[in-house]
Amino acid sequence: MAESHEHTHDHPRWQHDGVRVVPANQLDANTAQTPGMDRKAAINFARVGAQKLWAGTVHIHPDAKTGAHHHGPLESVIYVIKGRARMRWGERLEFTAEAGPGDFIYVPPFVPHQEINASATEVLECVLCRSDGEAVAVNLDITPVEQPTTVAWVDPTHPAPR
């Protein structure tokens, strides 16, 4: 015997509690900021009721860098749309890696880091997602090392280049 599913396609429940589209021209700059970058929220608790996500955009002007900061207990994912991102991280920002269009960057909780636009002429444009509906940005006063160590992406299936 076939299961009975009660579907009322004209039921209004999902009309205002379902999918949300946030137009590009309606992103919210009233979010946690770090000097040197412009963050704009698209998805968060205040805007759409998101319980476990924050998503938005980040723009860093040519040849600019952010102040050192971390995002508390939140995990962050940065997707590079346009430009060249140079990340520095560590207690004295002693490690570095670069990412370009189509690359993803993962930032674990509490890791001090700094985003740098590696281009002198092109704006760095990224999409940013975090693991909570509220933005957290803790700005830090760090004296960075002069020459950071470049770190290649390595995991069990992608060994370091030789």
Side-chain angles (χ1 to χ4, degrees):
M1 151 165 67
E3 282 189 40
S4 172
H5 293 285
E6 291 185 34
H7 289 283
T8 54
H9 296 285
D10 59 326
H11 193 279
R13 174 180 175 201
W14 299 116
Q15 181 176 350
H16 298 292
D17 293 328
V19 172
R20 310 282 177 87
V21 174
V22 178
N25 65 353
Q26 293 181 21
L27 301 185
D28 185 6
N30 185 22
T31 188
Q33 297 293 336
T34 297
M37 69 171 26
D38 298 316
R39 286 190 193 104
K40 292 186 179 176
I43 307 300
N44 62 15
F45 180 77
R47 303 202 79 209
V48 301
Q51 300 291 312
K52 299 178 183 177
L53 289 173
W54 185 101
T57 60
V58 172
H59 291 121
I60 301 176
H61 299 288
D63 222 14
K65 62 186 176 185
T66 70
H69 61 283
H70 69 72
H71 302 287
L74 308 185
E75 294 178 290
S76 299
V77 174
I78 302 168
Y79 175 75
V80 180
I81 296 172
K82 178 181 173 190
R84 190 97 191 134
R86 180 177 301 129
M87 298 293 293
R88 287 186 66 175
W89 70 93
E91 294 298 321
R92 294 193 55 219
L93 305 177
E94 63 268 32
F95 305 109
T96 188
E98 289 196 8
D103 292 343
F104 286 85
I105 301 164
Y106 171 68
V107 182
F110 297 103
V111 172
H113 64 281
Q114 173 185 55
E115 291 94 348
I116 300 168
N117 185 340
S119 170
T121 59
E122 187 176 31
V123 172
L124 173 60
E125 297 180 15
C126 303
V127 171
L128 170 61
C129 296
R130 292 223 183 84
S131 61
D132 192 275
E134 293 296 329
V136 173
V138 178
N139 296 316
L140 304 170
D141 185 13
I142 291 177
T143 301
V145 298
E146 287 292 318
Q147 293 295 323
T149 301
T150 299
V151 177
W153 176 55
V154 179
D155 72 14
T157 59
H158 298 87
R162 294 180 184 222

